[in-house]
Amino acid sequence: MTNPSRLAAALVAAGAVPPERAPAIAAVAERYAAALTPEVIDLIDPADPADPIARQFVPDPAELVTAPEERGDPIGDERFSPLKGIVHRYPDRVLLKPHHACPVYCRFCFRREQVGPEGEALDAAELAAALDYIRARPEIWEVILTGGDPFLMSPRRLREILGALDAIAHVAVIRFHTRVPVVDPDRVDTALIDALAAEKAVYVAIHANHPRELTAGFRAACRRLAAAGIPLLGQSVLLRGINDDPAVLEALFRGLVAARVKPYYLHHPDLARGTSHFRLGLGEGRQIVDALRGRVSGLCQPSYVLDVPGGHGKVPVGRSHAEPAGDSGEWIVEDHRGTPHRYPPAGES
Ligand code: SF4
């Protein structure tokens, strides 16, 4: 469902948006790729004008406003792309992007100008070149298959790519980044799970931003993946009007952990074009994340990170709770109630 007018008409027909919004939705979908799965449309509450599911997936005219600081490649993938389909930013790992389509197009996506139904998949020669690149570099320990959504590939193609990576001696870990268990959980079936079988460690990182995304179908998909011995990680984006509230994040992270998914990263939103209505300040983000301390266990707490614009990589941006106490060698450590405590220098405790 990616034709702009058909998408708008389908959303109206499903009762997810009022008819008067259709022209604006179609206009935005002409500029940025848009798609929703039936499962996501079912989750939308049409009575709520600020529905957190609709805000994530239904095109909004605010996307046609580009802020001066926004850019087409906010995390600098291009700068670190030595050949098509590979991003090599850190020595020990690469991104492998075999295709560009997603089952849904998140309105805040940092790769929104690269992903889409028209995005070119790697052809056989390009995929072979990408695999040769990995094969020739013994320092590559981890390969991350990412967006477009790798779980949209057929089990046959998944098996072929995974088999090739599995056979590279220096690759120890193969990680998939996907939205599929949330937006199309039935796709995580026996054929897909069988295609993920490998000698090497296979991890699946699942993108979810609101507790309402954690449906019975999602939990069942996670159960099937976990039953196959696949460790599950959670990736979320901190988004204004969607989860910029400690209570919502608490429910999200508890729900993920209860579904066997360890929250891994909470991303500060990137400077993608047309996404300023989703962005909050770093100070505000820190306050929200800080409020989770003492409220949920460490298992429920991801690292709050920012991709430094321009391709400089990820940095943790949460507040530090330990500061040196002048030049004494002592430290002041703050507990979850905000009470400071002294901690002695090394060797003097
Ligand atoms: S699924 Fe991932 S890559 Fe695809 S639109 Fe959403 S954030 Fe972007």
Side-chain angles (χ1 to χ4, degrees):
M1 204 203 311
T2 47
N3 171 287
S5 304
R6 275 215 308 256
L7 171 84
L11 289 172
V12 172
V17 299
E20 59 273 19
R21 280 190 61 193
I25 289 172
V28 178
E30 293 282 355
R31 170 72 177 87
Y32 295 110
L36 288 85
T37 57
E39 290 81 355
V40 167
I41 294 175
D42 276 355
L43 285 177
I44 292 175
D45 176 0
D48 179 0
D51 179 65
I53 306 298
R55 273 179 59 82
Q56 288 188 66
F57 301 108
V58 176
D60 185 311
E63 295 171 47
L64 299 178
V65 178
T66 299
E69 66 277 16
E70 292 177 343
R71 26 184 114 178
D73 177 22
I75 71 164
D77 278 352
E78 267 168 43
R79 192 174 148 202
F80 291 96
S81 181
L83 73 166
K84 192 172 168 188
I86 291 277
V87 178
H88 196 177
R89 195 185 325 268
Y90 308 95
D92 73 328
R93 75 210 92 133
V94 291
L95 305 185
L96 172 59
K97 301 190 289 181
H99 80 152
H100 290 87
C102 297
V104 289
Y105 292 101
C106 311
R107 309 321 302 163
F108 47 84
C109 175
F110 64 110
R111 289 204 185 103
R112 61 187 330 207
E113 301 196 41
Q114 287 78 45
V115 296
E118 274 89 45
E120 266 179 77
L122 297 188
D123 64 25
E126 290 163 341
L127 179 60
L131 292 168
D132 281 347
Y133 180 90
I134 297 169
R135 239 177 244 118
R137 287 168 178 76
E139 68 274 21
I140 297 176
W141 176 82
E142 182 178 18
V143 178
I144 301 158
L145 283 102
T146 187
D149 196 315
F151 276 13
L152 269 200
M153 288 190 285
S154 68
R156 189 189 56 75
R157 188 159 160 86
L158 267 177
R159 196 177 301 110
E160 179 189 310
I161 295 174
L162 194 58
L165 293 172
D166 208 16
I168 301 174
H170 56 264
V171 171
V173 176
I174 302 157
R175 188 179 353 144
F176 290 87
H177 283 190
T178 179
R179 242 333 195 166
V180 164
V182 171
V183 302
D184 188 4
D186 289 346
R187 195 175 174 90
V188 184
D189 58 10
T190 310
L192 186 146
I193 291 172
D194 286 352
L196 300 179
E199 284 288 319
K200 304 294 175 61
V202 172
Y203 282 69
V204 172
I206 302 170
H207 174 180
N209 301 317
H210 192 275
R212 274 185 31 222
E213 292 168 56
L214 312 184
T215 59
F218 163 78
R219 291 194 299 276
C222 293
R223 223 169 23 243
R224 292 192 290 276
L225 287 163
I230 298 172
L232 304 177
L233 304 169
Q235 296 213 83
S236 305
V237 187
L238 183 60
L239 296 163
R240 185 178 294 294
I242 292 170
N243 58 17
D244 55 339
D245 174 339
V248 173
L249 288 181
E250 177 179 343
L252 172 66
F253 298 143
R254 283 189 193 280
L256 285 170
V257 170
R260 302 170 170 80
V261 181
K262 164 72 185 108
Y264 168 51
Y265 277 147
L266 175 65
H267 296 269
H268 193 79
D270 295 307
L271 298 174
R273 286 192 189 119
T275 63
S276 59
H277 51 301
F278 287 114
R279 257 189 328 272
L280 56 172
L282 271 175
E284 207 180 335
R286 270 188 177 184
Q287 273 183 358
I288 294 166
V289 172
D290 217 25
L292 287 174
R293 276 195 330 129
R295 218 168 144 146
V296 293
S297 75
L299 198 53
C300 295
Q301 296 193 32
S303 295
Y304 175 37
V305 293
L306 169 75
D307 260 291
V308 182
H312 304 287
K314 279 185 191 57
V315 287
V317 287
R319 189 164 71 80
S320 169
H321 298 278
E323 299 290 343
D327 297 330
S328 65
E330 275 196 328
W331 286 71
I332 304 292
V333 183
E334 195 182 284
D335 68 23
H336 70 91
R337 293 181 195 85
T339 310
H341 304 273
R342 287 193 169 269
Y343 187 81
E348 294 179 26
S349 56

